[in-house]
Amino acid sequence: MAYGVDGVSFGSGRIGWVLAAQLMVRLEEFTEVDLEAEHAAYLRRAETRERDLGGAGTDERLRLGEYLSSP
C-alpha cells in the first residue's frame, strides 16, 4: 500500500516497513573474493605507491589486518 511522502517517526508502527524497504536489494551478479588476499594485495599496492612517492614504508593506518587479527 502506498503512503504519502511524509516522514515516519521512530515511534511509528510503520518504521519497521520503512527500514525493511531500505534493506531490500536484488543482486544481479556477484563475485566471491578472499578478503585476506584482497587486503594483502591492497597493502602491497599501498607500499609500492608510498615508496614511489618517497615515503618511508606503509602508513600504519593501512594495516587494518593487524587490528582485525589481534585478540
Side-chain angles (χ1 to χ4, degrees):
M1 179 181 298
Y3 286 96
V5 194
D6 58 335
V8 176
S9 69
F10 285 107
S12 170
R14 298 187 316 191
I15 192 68
W17 288 102
V18 172
L19 296 174
Q22 293 176 0
L23 294 175
M24 290 191 304
V25 177
R26 180 177 176 175
L27 295 176
E28 296 291 331
E29 61 182 72
F30 63 93
T31 303
E32 288 187 40
V33 297
D34 178 351
L35 291 180
E36 289 182 13
E38 292 292 325
H39 185 251
Y42 166 76
L43 288 177
R44 285 192 301 274
R45 287 190 309 271
E47 287 173 350
T48 300
R49 187 170 40 250
E50 192 165 317
R51 188 172 44 250
D52 291 347
L53 294 174
T58 302
D59 186 333
E60 288 301 315
R61 291 173 294 157
L62 300 177
R63 297 192 176 276
L64 179 60
E66 293 175 9
Y67 299 111
L68 295 177
S69 62
S70 63

